[in-house]
Every structure is written in structure tokens, then in C-alpha cells.
Amino acid sequence: MKPTPVPETAATAAITVWLVEDNRSFSRALTRVLGRAEGVTCARVFSTAEDLLEALADQPGPDVLLMDVQLPGRSGLEVLPAIREASPKTRVVMLTVFDDPDKVFRAVCAGASGYLLKTATAERIVESIREASAGGAPMHPQVARLVLDQFARLNRPRHDAYHLTPRERHILELMTEGLTKKEIAARLDLSFHTVDTHLRNIYAKLHVHNSSGAVAKALRERLF
């Protein structure tokens, strides 16, 4: 299917926009919105990612690309790396009816400049185009919350994965501060033998053989 050209409404438009959307009614509605927006020109509309990539091979990309996540053939997420390679300066804003955390996170990691739900108001979409063109990262508040939660989950300390007890985590933390077994025993009011037993358990759970290995793993994997 050939892409549908959209006539410019303002010759001096500062921001050139391309739209990739297979839902015809939504595409027409959004095109009308962009046609009325000051300083924005919706220059081309595509219904598939394949048509978009073909166009990018023949001409410079737009300032901002609005692209649906779910497309026939290759999805918007799938072609993001190819778009970045073909047109590095183009800012890509994903449009979707879904707020799936995994898809949102994958889009951000793949280089999307923004992520909006299709339920966003016309004003918000136009504002997001301007924001993306200026180097910002427009994102629906609900989507932003999902991204932050996903980053927090990935950066969460992994001590639970090794089943360390609270006492073992505390001892491991003191080890990273450079305390010896004797100093740890004094700090925690424990016997040297008790601390030594805890250390052997820590080594076994972390799959290391000595204190330096335990400290290195604790710091590398942020275990506390």
C-alpha cells in the first residue's frame, strides 16, 4: 500500500511530522488535528511500518514521527532500531491504546522519545510533538509511572535472590565498609564464632569462597 501524502497547511511550518497508523478513522482525526495546529505540518501518513521504512530509504525523515505500537506486519516496537539508524535525528513518539509495562519499557529502551496513550487529548498530542521536537520526552502520566516502576523493579537490591537473612545482609554491609570479623563481632555484640558461622553461610549463598569475593559481588549486584 502506498503512503498517503498530506498537503502542508503552512509553508513555514517549523515541525515536520509523519504519522504511522493503520486505524483509518484515528489517522484521519489526528491528521485534521495536526492540520489545525500552528507550526506543525503533517507531511506524510503511512499505514504500515514497511511503507515508512521504504520512505526513509528515499528521503530525509521528519522532525517527529508519531507511530502506533500495534501495526500490521512489523510492529512499531520492532522497527524502532531501524528508524533510529535510518533517521537518527527523528524523534519518535509512540501511540497506543495499551499501557502494558513491558511494551512501554521496551519502547523507551529501543529509543522512543515519548509514549502517549491514544486517549490523550488533541492538545496534549500537539504539545507532545512540540516537546519532542525540542528534545523533551513527552509521556502520559500513567505511562511515566509504569516506566518509573519498571526501572525501580530492575534496580531493586537482589538480596532476596540469594535468600540472605537480615543478619547476614547486615554483616555483608559491614564487610563492604572494610570491617574485619573481629570488628564486626564487636559492632554487633556477637561472638567471633557466631560471626564466622554467618560468614560461611554468606559465602555459600553467594557462591564465593572468601570475603573479597563476597564484597565484590555485593557491590556489583547491589545486594543491600
Side-chain angles (χ1 to χ4, degrees), residues 17-83:
V17 178
W18 289 4
L19 172 63
V20 188
E21 171 59 62
D22 65 310
N23 184 307
R24 291 186 178 182
S25 60
F26 184 80
S27 178
R28 286 194 296 266
L30 187 52
T31 300
R32 287 195 296 269
V33 167
L34 299 180
R36 294 193 297 266
E38 183 179 354
V40 175
T41 297
C42 184
R44 303 194 70 174
V45 176
F46 307 87
S47 60
T48 69
E50 288 82 359
D51 288 340
L52 166 69
L53 294 178
E54 185 177 337
L56 286 174
D58 294 333
Q59 66 184 98
D63 299 315
V64 177
L65 175 68
L66 296 179
M67 182 166 60
D68 191 3
V69 171
Q70 298 290 342
L71 292 167
R74 300 177 69 183
S75 72
L77 289 177
E78 185 181 349
V79 298
L80 263 174
I83 294 170

Short mmCIF file of all heavy atoms in Angstrom, two decimals, residues 17-83:
data_model
loop_
_atom_site.label_atom_id
_atom_site.label_comp_id
_atom_site.label_asym_id
_atom_site.label_seq_id
_atom_site.Cartn_x
_atom_site.Cartn_y
_atom_site.Cartn_z
N VAL A 17 5.96 16.48 10.63
CA VAL A 17 5.50 15.26 11.31
C VAL A 17 5.08 14.22 10.29
O VAL A 17 4.43 14.55 9.29
CB VAL A 17 4.31 15.57 12.24
CG1 VAL A 17 3.79 14.30 12.91
CG2 VAL A 17 4.71 16.60 13.30
N TRP A 18 5.47 12.97 10.52
CA TRP A 18 4.93 11.84 9.79
C TRP A 18 4.13 11.00 10.78
O TRP A 18 4.46 10.93 11.96
CB TRP A 18 6.03 10.97 9.19
CG TRP A 18 6.76 11.59 8.03
CD1 TRP A 18 6.60 12.85 7.53
CD2 TRP A 18 7.79 10.97 7.26
NE1 TRP A 18 7.46 13.05 6.48
CE2 TRP A 18 8.21 11.92 6.29
CE3 TRP A 18 8.40 9.72 7.28
CZ2 TRP A 18 9.21 11.64 5.35
CZ3 TRP A 18 9.40 9.44 6.36
CH2 TRP A 18 9.79 10.39 5.40
N LEU A 19 3.08 10.38 10.25
CA LEU A 19 2.21 9.55 11.08
C LEU A 19 2.17 8.13 10.53
O LEU A 19 2.00 7.94 9.33
CB LEU A 19 0.80 10.14 11.11
CG LEU A 19 -0.30 9.32 11.78
CD1 LEU A 19 -0.01 9.13 13.27
CD2 LEU A 19 -1.67 9.98 11.57
N VAL A 20 2.34 7.15 11.42
CA VAL A 20 2.21 5.74 11.04
C VAL A 20 1.08 5.16 11.87
O VAL A 20 1.22 4.94 13.08
CB VAL A 20 3.51 4.95 11.28
CG1 VAL A 20 3.39 3.55 10.68
CG2 VAL A 20 4.71 5.67 10.71
N GLU A 21 -0.05 4.92 11.22
CA GLU A 21 -1.26 4.49 11.94
C GLU A 21 -2.15 3.71 10.98
O GLU A 21 -2.49 4.21 9.91
CB GLU A 21 -1.99 5.71 12.48
CG GLU A 21 -3.35 5.45 13.06
CD GLU A 21 -3.32 4.46 14.21
OE1 GLU A 21 -2.67 4.77 15.23
OE2 GLU A 21 -3.94 3.39 14.07
N ASP A 22 -2.52 2.49 11.35
CA ASP A 22 -3.34 1.67 10.46
C ASP A 22 -4.84 1.85 10.69
O ASP A 22 -5.65 1.42 9.87
CB ASP A 22 -2.97 0.19 10.61
CG ASP A 22 -3.29 -0.35 11.99
OD1 ASP A 22 -2.89 0.29 12.98
OD2 ASP A 22 -3.94 -1.41 12.10
N ASN A 23 -5.22 2.48 11.79
CA ASN A 23 -6.63 2.74 12.05
C ASN A 23 -7.03 4.01 11.28
O ASN A 23 -6.63 5.12 11.63
CB ASN A 23 -6.86 2.93 13.56
CG ASN A 23 -8.32 3.11 13.91
OD1 ASN A 23 -8.99 3.97 13.35
ND2 ASN A 23 -8.81 2.31 14.84
N ARG A 24 -7.82 3.83 10.23
CA ARG A 24 -8.10 4.95 9.32
C ARG A 24 -8.85 6.09 10.00
O ARG A 24 -8.55 7.26 9.77
CB ARG A 24 -8.90 4.45 8.12
CG ARG A 24 -8.09 3.56 7.19
CD ARG A 24 -8.87 3.21 5.94
NE ARG A 24 -8.08 2.39 5.03
CZ ARG A 24 -8.51 1.98 3.84
NH1 ARG A 24 -9.73 2.33 3.42
NH2 ARG A 24 -7.74 1.24 3.07
N SER A 25 -9.82 5.76 10.84
CA SER A 25 -10.60 6.81 11.48
C SER A 25 -9.73 7.62 12.43
O SER A 25 -9.79 8.86 12.46
CB SER A 25 -11.80 6.22 12.22
OG SER A 25 -11.38 5.32 13.22
N PHE A 26 -8.89 6.93 13.20
CA PHE A 26 -7.99 7.65 14.12
C PHE A 26 -6.97 8.46 13.33
O PHE A 26 -6.65 9.59 13.68
CB PHE A 26 -7.28 6.67 15.04
CG PHE A 26 -6.41 7.33 16.07
CD1 PHE A 26 -6.94 7.86 17.23
CD2 PHE A 26 -5.03 7.44 15.86
CE1 PHE A 26 -6.14 8.49 18.18
CE2 PHE A 26 -4.22 8.06 16.80
CZ PHE A 26 -4.77 8.59 17.96
N SER A 27 -6.48 7.87 12.23
CA SER A 27 -5.50 8.56 11.40
C SER A 27 -6.08 9.84 10.81
O SER A 27 -5.44 10.90 10.83
CB SER A 27 -5.03 7.63 10.28
OG SER A 27 -4.12 8.29 9.43
N ARG A 28 -7.31 9.76 10.29
CA ARG A 28 -7.94 10.95 9.71
C ARG A 28 -8.18 12.01 10.78
O ARG A 28 -7.95 13.21 10.55
CB ARG A 28 -9.26 10.57 9.03
CG ARG A 28 -9.09 9.85 7.70
CD ARG A 28 -10.41 9.82 6.93
NE ARG A 28 -11.42 9.05 7.65
CZ ARG A 28 -11.67 7.77 7.43
NH1 ARG A 28 -10.96 7.10 6.54
NH2 ARG A 28 -12.61 7.13 8.11
N ALA A 29 -8.64 11.58 11.94
CA ALA A 29 -8.92 12.54 13.02
C ALA A 29 -7.64 13.23 13.46
O ALA A 29 -7.62 14.46 13.65
CB ALA A 29 -9.57 11.81 14.20
N LEU A 30 -6.56 12.46 13.62
CA LEU A 30 -5.30 13.05 14.06
C LEU A 30 -4.71 13.96 12.99
O LEU A 30 -4.15 15.01 13.30
CB LEU A 30 -4.31 11.93 14.42
CG LEU A 30 -2.99 12.37 15.06
CD1 LEU A 30 -3.24 13.28 16.26
CD2 LEU A 30 -2.19 11.15 15.49
N THR A 31 -4.87 13.58 11.73
CA THR A 31 -4.38 14.42 10.64
C THR A 31 -5.09 15.77 10.64
O THR A 31 -4.47 16.82 10.42
CB THR A 31 -4.58 13.72 9.29
OG1 THR A 31 -3.86 12.49 9.28
CG2 THR A 31 -4.08 14.59 8.14
N ARG A 32 -6.39 15.76 10.90
CA ARG A 32 -7.14 17.02 10.97
C ARG A 32 -6.65 17.88 12.13
O ARG A 32 -6.51 19.10 12.00
CB ARG A 32 -8.64 16.74 11.12
CG ARG A 32 -9.31 16.24 9.85
CD ARG A 32 -10.83 16.33 9.96
NE ARG A 32 -11.34 15.45 11.02
CZ ARG A 32 -11.71 14.20 10.82
NH1 ARG A 32 -11.61 13.64 9.61
NH2 ARG A 32 -12.20 13.48 11.82
N VAL A 33 -6.39 17.23 13.27
CA VAL A 33 -5.88 17.97 14.43
C VAL A 33 -4.55 18.62 14.11
O VAL A 33 -4.33 19.81 14.39
CB VAL A 33 -5.72 17.01 15.64
CG1 VAL A 33 -4.91 17.68 16.75
CG2 VAL A 33 -7.08 16.59 16.17
N LEU A 34 -3.65 17.87 13.49
CA LEU A 34 -2.33 18.41 13.17
C LEU A 34 -2.43 19.49 12.10
O LEU A 34 -1.63 20.43 12.08
CB LEU A 34 -1.41 17.28 12.71
CG LEU A 34 -1.14 16.17 13.74
CD1 LEU A 34 -0.20 15.12 13.17
CD2 LEU A 34 -0.57 16.75 15.03
N GLY A 35 -3.40 19.35 11.21
CA GLY A 35 -3.58 20.35 10.16
C GLY A 35 -3.99 21.70 10.71
O GLY A 35 -3.73 22.74 10.09
N ARG A 36 -4.63 21.69 11.88
CA ARG A 36 -5.06 22.95 12.50
C ARG A 36 -4.04 23.50 13.48
O ARG A 36 -4.19 24.63 13.96
CB ARG A 36 -6.39 22.73 13.23
CG ARG A 36 -7.57 22.41 12.32
CD ARG A 36 -8.88 22.52 13.08
NE ARG A 36 -8.96 21.54 14.16
CZ ARG A 36 -9.52 20.34 14.04
NH1 ARG A 36 -10.03 19.96 12.88
NH2 ARG A 36 -9.57 19.51 15.06
N ALA A 37 -3.02 22.70 13.79
CA ALA A 37 -2.04 23.12 14.79
C ALA A 37 -1.04 24.10 14.20
O ALA A 37 -0.48 23.87 13.13
CB ALA A 37 -1.30 21.90 15.34
N GLU A 38 -0.81 25.17 14.90
CA GLU A 38 0.13 26.19 14.43
C GLU A 38 1.57 25.68 14.53
O GLU A 38 1.97 25.10 15.53
CB GLU A 38 -0.01 27.46 15.27
CG GLU A 38 0.88 28.60 14.81
CD GLU A 38 0.69 29.85 15.65
OE1 GLU A 38 -0.22 29.85 16.51
OE2 GLU A 38 1.44 30.81 15.46
N GLY A 39 2.33 25.87 13.45
CA GLY A 39 3.73 25.49 13.46
C GLY A 39 3.99 24.01 13.31
O GLY A 39 5.10 23.54 13.56
N VAL A 40 2.98 23.24 12.90
CA VAL A 40 3.13 21.79 12.73
C VAL A 40 2.59 21.40 11.36
O VAL A 40 1.50 21.84 10.97
CB VAL A 40 2.37 21.02 13.83
CG1 VAL A 40 2.42 19.52 13.55
CG2 VAL A 40 2.95 21.33 15.20
N THR A 41 3.33 20.59 10.63
CA THR A 41 2.88 20.10 9.33
C THR A 41 2.93 18.58 9.30
O THR A 41 3.99 17.99 9.46
CB THR A 41 3.78 20.64 8.19
OG1 THR A 41 3.68 22.05 8.14
CG2 THR A 41 3.34 20.05 6.85
N CYS A 42 1.77 17.96 9.13
CA CYS A 42 1.72 16.51 8.96
C CYS A 42 1.95 16.23 7.48
O CYS A 42 1.03 16.36 6.66
CB CYS A 42 0.38 15.95 9.43
SG CYS A 42 0.31 14.14 9.36
N ALA A 43 3.17 15.88 7.12
CA ALA A 43 3.56 15.80 5.71
C ALA A 43 3.22 14.46 5.06
O ALA A 43 2.92 14.41 3.87
CB ALA A 43 5.06 16.06 5.58
N ARG A 44 3.28 13.36 5.84
CA ARG A 44 3.02 12.05 5.24
C ARG A 44 2.33 11.15 6.26
O ARG A 44 2.55 11.26 7.47
CB ARG A 44 4.31 11.39 4.76
CG ARG A 44 5.10 12.24 3.77
CD ARG A 44 6.18 11.43 3.07
NE ARG A 44 5.61 10.46 2.14
CZ ARG A 44 6.34 9.70 1.32
NH1 ARG A 44 7.66 9.80 1.34
NH2 ARG A 44 5.77 8.86 0.49
N VAL A 45 1.50 10.25 5.73
CA VAL A 45 0.79 9.28 6.56
C VAL A 45 1.02 7.89 5.98
O VAL A 45 0.90 7.69 4.77
CB VAL A 45 -0.72 9.59 6.62
CG1 VAL A 45 -1.45 8.51 7.42
CG2 VAL A 45 -0.96 10.96 7.23
N PHE A 46 1.35 6.94 6.84
CA PHE A 46 1.58 5.56 6.43
C PHE A 46 0.68 4.64 7.25
O PHE A 46 0.34 4.96 8.39
CB PHE A 46 3.04 5.15 6.66
CG PHE A 46 4.05 6.10 6.05
CD1 PHE A 46 4.49 7.21 6.75
CD2 PHE A 46 4.56 5.86 4.79
CE1 PHE A 46 5.41 8.09 6.21
CE2 PHE A 46 5.50 6.73 4.23
CZ PHE A 46 5.92 7.84 4.93
N SER A 47 0.36 3.51 6.67
CA SER A 47 -0.46 2.54 7.41
C SER A 47 0.35 1.34 7.88
O SER A 47 -0.15 0.54 8.67
CB SER A 47 -1.63 2.06 6.54
OG SER A 47 -1.15 1.44 5.36
N THR A 48 1.59 1.21 7.41
CA THR A 48 2.45 0.10 7.84
C THR A 48 3.86 0.60 8.09
O THR A 48 4.30 1.61 7.52
CB THR A 48 2.51 -1.03 6.78
OG1 THR A 48 3.24 -0.56 5.64
CG2 THR A 48 1.12 -1.49 6.38
N ALA A 49 4.58 -0.14 8.91
CA ALA A 49 5.97 0.19 9.19
C ALA A 49 6.83 -0.03 7.96
O ALA A 49 7.82 0.68 7.74
CB ALA A 49 6.47 -0.66 10.36
N GLU A 50 6.47 -1.02 7.14
CA GLU A 50 7.23 -1.30 5.93
C GLU A 50 7.21 -0.10 4.98
O GLU A 50 8.24 0.25 4.38
CB GLU A 50 6.68 -2.54 5.23
CG GLU A 50 6.97 -3.86 5.95
CD GLU A 50 6.01 -4.16 7.09
OE1 GLU A 50 5.10 -3.32 7.34
OE2 GLU A 50 6.15 -5.21 7.73
N ASP A 51 6.03 0.53 4.82
CA ASP A 51 5.93 1.71 3.96
C ASP A 51 6.79 2.85 4.51
O ASP A 51 7.43 3.59 3.75
CB ASP A 51 4.48 2.17 3.86
CG ASP A 51 3.63 1.24 3.01
OD1 ASP A 51 4.22 0.48 2.21
OD2 ASP A 51 2.39 1.26 3.15
N LEU A 52 6.80 2.98 5.81
CA LEU A 52 7.61 4.02 6.44
C LEU A 52 9.09 3.81 6.15
O LEU A 52 9.80 4.74 5.74
CB LEU A 52 7.38 4.02 7.96
CG LEU A 52 8.40 4.82 8.78
CD1 LEU A 52 8.25 6.31 8.51
CD2 LEU A 52 8.26 4.51 10.26
N LEU A 53 9.58 2.59 6.35
CA LEU A 53 10.99 2.31 6.13
C LEU A 53 11.39 2.52 4.68
O LEU A 53 12.49 2.98 4.38
CB LEU A 53 11.31 0.88 6.58
CG LEU A 53 11.19 0.60 8.08
CD1 LEU A 53 11.47 -0.86 8.37
CD2 LEU A 53 12.12 1.50 8.88
N GLU A 54 10.47 2.20 3.77
CA GLU A 54 10.74 2.42 2.35
C GLU A 54 10.90 3.91 2.07
O GLU A 54 11.78 4.33 1.31
CB GLU A 54 9.59 1.84 1.52
CG GLU A 54 9.83 1.90 0.01
CD GLU A 54 8.71 1.25 -0.77
OE1 GLU A 54 8.00 0.40 -0.20
OE2 GLU A 54 8.54 1.59 -1.96
N ALA A 55 10.06 4.73 2.69
CA ALA A 55 10.15 6.18 2.50
C ALA A 55 11.44 6.73 3.09
O ALA A 55 12.08 7.61 2.51
CB ALA A 55 8.94 6.86 3.13
N LEU A 56 11.83 6.22 4.26
CA LEU A 56 13.05 6.69 4.91
C LEU A 56 14.30 6.35 4.10
O LEU A 56 15.33 7.01 4.22
CB LEU A 56 13.17 6.10 6.31
CG LEU A 56 12.23 6.67 7.38
CD1 LEU A 56 12.37 5.90 8.68
CD2 LEU A 56 12.51 8.15 7.61
N ALA A 57 14.20 5.32 3.27
CA ALA A 57 15.33 4.94 2.43
C ALA A 57 15.49 5.89 1.25
O ALA A 57 16.57 5.97 0.65
CB ALA A 57 15.14 3.51 1.91
N ASP A 58 14.42 6.64 0.93
CA ASP A 58 14.44 7.51 -0.24
C ASP A 58 14.56 8.99 0.08
O ASP A 58 14.92 9.79 -0.79
CB ASP A 58 13.16 7.31 -1.07
CG ASP A 58 13.08 5.91 -1.67
OD1 ASP A 58 14.15 5.32 -1.90
OD2 ASP A 58 11.96 5.42 -1.89
N GLN A 59 14.24 9.39 1.31
CA GLN A 59 14.24 10.81 1.63
C GLN A 59 14.52 11.02 3.11
O GLN A 59 14.39 10.09 3.91
CB GLN A 59 12.89 11.43 1.27
CG GLN A 59 11.73 10.92 2.10
CD GLN A 59 10.40 11.49 1.66
OE1 GLN A 59 9.66 10.87 0.93
NE2 GLN A 59 10.10 12.70 2.12
N PRO A 60 14.91 12.24 3.48
CA PRO A 60 15.18 12.53 4.90
C PRO A 60 13.93 12.33 5.74
O PRO A 60 12.81 12.57 5.28
CB PRO A 60 15.61 14.00 4.88
CG PRO A 60 16.07 14.25 3.49
CD PRO A 60 15.20 13.40 2.61
N GLY A 61 14.12 11.90 6.96
CA GLY A 61 12.99 11.69 7.85
C GLY A 61 12.44 12.98 8.40
O GLY A 61 13.04 14.05 8.23
N PRO A 62 11.31 12.91 9.09
CA PRO A 62 10.68 14.11 9.65
C PRO A 62 11.35 14.53 10.95
O PRO A 62 12.22 13.83 11.47
CB PRO A 62 9.25 13.63 9.91
CG PRO A 62 9.44 12.19 10.28
CD PRO A 62 10.55 11.69 9.40
N ASP A 63 10.91 15.66 11.46
CA ASP A 63 11.38 16.08 12.78
C ASP A 63 10.81 15.15 13.86
O ASP A 63 11.52 14.75 14.78
CB ASP A 63 10.93 17.52 13.07
CG ASP A 63 11.51 18.51 12.08
OD1 ASP A 63 12.71 18.41 11.79
OD2 ASP A 63 10.74 19.35 11.58
N VAL A 64 9.53 14.84 13.72
CA VAL A 64 8.85 13.99 14.71
C VAL A 64 8.04 12.93 13.98
O VAL A 64 7.35 13.23 12.99
CB VAL A 64 7.92 14.82 15.62
CG1 VAL A 64 7.16 13.90 16.59
CG2 VAL A 64 8.72 15.86 16.40
N LEU A 65 8.13 11.71 14.47
CA LEU A 65 7.35 10.61 13.92
C LEU A 65 6.38 10.10 14.98
O LEU A 65 6.80 9.71 16.07
CB LEU A 65 8.28 9.47 13.49
CG LEU A 65 7.62 8.18 13.01
CD1 LEU A 65 6.90 8.41 11.69
CD2 LEU A 65 8.65 7.07 12.86
N LEU A 66 5.09 10.14 14.67
CA LEU A 66 4.08 9.55 15.54
C LEU A 66 3.79 8.16 15.01
O LEU A 66 3.41 8.01 13.85
CB LEU A 66 2.79 10.39 15.53
CG LEU A 66 2.87 11.82 16.08
CD1 LEU A 66 1.50 12.48 15.96
CD2 LEU A 66 3.34 11.82 17.51
N MET A 67 3.95 7.15 15.83
CA MET A 67 3.82 5.78 15.34
C MET A 67 3.04 4.90 16.31
O MET A 67 3.32 4.88 17.51
CB MET A 67 5.20 5.17 15.10
CG MET A 67 5.16 3.76 14.53
SD MET A 67 6.76 3.20 13.88
CE MET A 67 7.77 3.29 15.36
N ASP A 68 2.08 4.18 15.77
CA ASP A 68 1.31 3.23 16.56
C ASP A 68 2.20 2.06 16.95
O ASP A 68 3.10 1.66 16.20
CB ASP A 68 0.12 2.74 15.72
CG ASP A 68 -0.88 1.95 16.54
OD1 ASP A 68 -0.70 1.84 17.77
OD2 ASP A 68 -1.86 1.45 15.95
N VAL A 69 1.97 1.52 18.12
CA VAL A 69 2.74 0.35 18.56
C VAL A 69 2.29 -0.90 17.81
O VAL A 69 3.11 -1.66 17.28
CB VAL A 69 2.57 0.13 20.08
CG1 VAL A 69 3.19 -1.19 20.50
CG2 VAL A 69 3.22 1.27 20.86
N GLN A 70 0.98 -1.10 17.72
CA GLN A 70 0.42 -2.28 17.06
C GLN A 70 0.13 -1.95 15.60
O GLN A 70 -0.78 -1.19 15.30
CB GLN A 70 -0.87 -2.72 17.77
CG GLN A 70 -0.67 -3.13 19.21
CD GLN A 70 0.09 -4.44 19.35
OE1 GLN A 70 0.19 -5.21 18.41
NE2 GLN A 70 0.62 -4.70 20.53
N LEU A 71 0.91 -2.53 14.70
CA LEU A 71 0.73 -2.30 13.27
C LEU A 71 0.66 -3.64 12.54
O LEU A 71 1.22 -4.63 13.01
CB LEU A 71 1.90 -1.48 12.70
CG LEU A 71 2.03 -0.03 13.17
CD1 LEU A 71 3.38 0.53 12.77
CD2 LEU A 71 0.90 0.82 12.58
N PRO A 72 -0.01 -3.69 11.40
CA PRO A 72 0.01 -4.92 10.61
C PRO A 72 1.42 -5.17 10.09
O PRO A 72 2.15 -4.24 9.78
CB PRO A 72 -0.96 -4.61 9.46
CG PRO A 72 -0.99 -3.12 9.36
CD PRO A 72 -0.81 -2.62 10.76
N GLY A 73 1.82 -6.42 10.03
CA GLY A 73 3.19 -6.71 9.63
C GLY A 73 4.12 -6.46 10.80
O GLY A 73 3.87 -6.90 11.93
N ARG A 74 5.18 -5.72 10.58
CA ARG A 74 6.14 -5.42 11.64
C ARG A 74 5.57 -4.37 12.58
O ARG A 74 5.01 -3.36 12.15
CB ARG A 74 7.47 -4.95 11.04
CG ARG A 74 8.12 -5.96 10.11
CD ARG A 74 9.38 -5.42 9.48
NE ARG A 74 10.44 -5.26 10.46
CZ ARG A 74 11.64 -4.75 10.17
NH1 ARG A 74 11.89 -4.32 8.93
NH2 ARG A 74 12.57 -4.64 11.09
N SER A 75 5.73 -4.59 13.87
CA SER A 75 5.17 -3.67 14.85
C SER A 75 6.04 -2.43 14.99
O SER A 75 7.20 -2.40 14.55
CB SER A 75 5.07 -4.36 16.22
OG SER A 75 6.36 -4.53 16.78
N GLY A 76 5.45 -1.41 15.61
CA GLY A 76 6.21 -0.20 15.85
C GLY A 76 7.44 -0.44 16.70
O GLY A 76 8.51 0.13 16.46
N LEU A 77 7.31 -1.30 17.71
CA LEU A 77 8.45 -1.62 18.56
C LEU A 77 9.55 -2.30 17.77
O LEU A 77 10.74 -2.03 17.96
CB LEU A 77 8.01 -2.53 19.71
CG LEU A 77 7.15 -1.92 20.81
CD1 LEU A 77 6.75 -2.98 21.82
CD2 LEU A 77 7.89 -0.79 21.50
N GLU A 78 9.16 -3.17 16.87
CA GLU A 78 10.14 -3.96 16.11
C GLU A 78 11.00 -3.09 15.20
O GLU A 78 12.18 -3.37 15.00
CB GLU A 78 9.41 -5.02 15.28
CG GLU A 78 10.32 -5.98 14.55
CD GLU A 78 9.54 -7.00 13.73
OE1 GLU A 78 8.30 -7.08 13.91
OE2 GLU A 78 10.17 -7.70 12.91
N VAL A 79 10.42 -2.03 14.64
CA VAL A 79 11.16 -1.23 13.66
C VAL A 79 11.85 -0.02 14.27
O VAL A 79 12.54 0.72 13.56
CB VAL A 79 10.24 -0.77 12.51
CG1 VAL A 79 9.68 -1.96 11.76
CG2 VAL A 79 9.12 0.13 13.02
N LEU A 80 11.70 0.20 15.56
CA LEU A 80 12.34 1.36 16.18
C LEU A 80 13.85 1.43 15.92
O LEU A 80 14.37 2.49 15.55
CB LEU A 80 12.07 1.37 17.69
CG LEU A 80 10.91 2.24 18.17
CD1 LEU A 80 10.66 2.02 19.66
CD2 LEU A 80 11.19 3.71 17.90
N PRO A 81 14.60 0.34 16.10
CA PRO A 81 16.04 0.41 15.82
C PRO A 81 16.35 0.79 14.37
O PRO A 81 17.27 1.56 14.11
CB PRO A 81 16.53 -1.01 16.14
CG PRO A 81 15.53 -1.54 17.12
CD PRO A 81 14.22 -0.98 16.67
N ALA A 82 15.56 0.27 13.42
CA ALA A 82 15.78 0.59 12.01
C ALA A 82 15.50 2.06 11.74
O ALA A 82 16.18 2.70 10.93
CB ALA A 82 14.91 -0.29 11.13
N ILE A 83 14.49 2.61 12.40
CA ILE A 83 14.16 4.03 12.23
C ILE A 83 15.30 4.89 12.75
O ILE A 83 15.71 5.87 12.12
CB ILE A 83 12.85 4.37 12.95
CG1 ILE A 83 11.68 3.65 12.28
CG2 ILE A 83 12.60 5.88 12.96
CD1 ILE A 83 10.38 3.73 13.07
#
